[in-house]
Amino acid sequence: MSTHSPADDGFRAFVEQQWGPLVRVAYLLTGDRGHAEDLVQAALEKTHRKWGRVSRMDAPVAYVRKAMVNTATSWRRRRRVSEVPLLVTDSPAVDAYGSIEQRQQVVAALRTLPPRMRAVLVLRYFADLGEAEVADLLGCSVGTVKSQASRGLDRLRAHLDPVPERTRA
């Protein structure tokens, strides 16, 4: 006897449709492709347990994003090393989209930010959510989102566009 249900079909379709966009957001939150996939998998596992309720929400993607932010923050707090790379290399992975160096600089700059500030920037500017949506997802005020975004953008600018050294006369 199969335990397959129409709700499972709905969840499967949701995952197939949202996997790519969720992994891209998770990558910006974690800075690592493998951790990003693990993060999405963990968030989807939590979502699947409550899919009956989540699927009736106006924005199930928002629910998953919130689960991702909370899980990423929790993982960062624990700072537990669960995987050890077997091969360390200085060469970056091949990226077919171009602008690899710039993308790596942005991801490196994002990694320097505190988790909440990084989440605000990723959700606000990469996931293109409004300030109120980000505030709702993160459980904070719109003013906090605005200040975190402003400070985060200032930090990114400073990291990405350092003031050139003055030449000696």
Side-chain angles (χ1 to χ4, degrees), residues 92-107:
V94 177
D95 188 347
Y97 294 106
S99 304
I100 297 169
E101 186 176 336
Q102 184 179 18
R103 183 176 299 154
Q104 289 174 338
Q105 289 172 349
V106 170
V107 170

Side-chain angles (χ1 to χ4, degrees), residues 67-89:
M68 288 169 38
V69 169
N70 291 341
T71 302
T73 301
S74 174
W75 286 356
R76 184 161 176 170
R77 282 186 192 134
R78 282 189 240 152
R79 288 198 185 259
R80 172 177 76 132
V81 177
S82 58
E83 295 181 17
V84 177
L86 297 177
L87 177 63
V88 178
T89 170

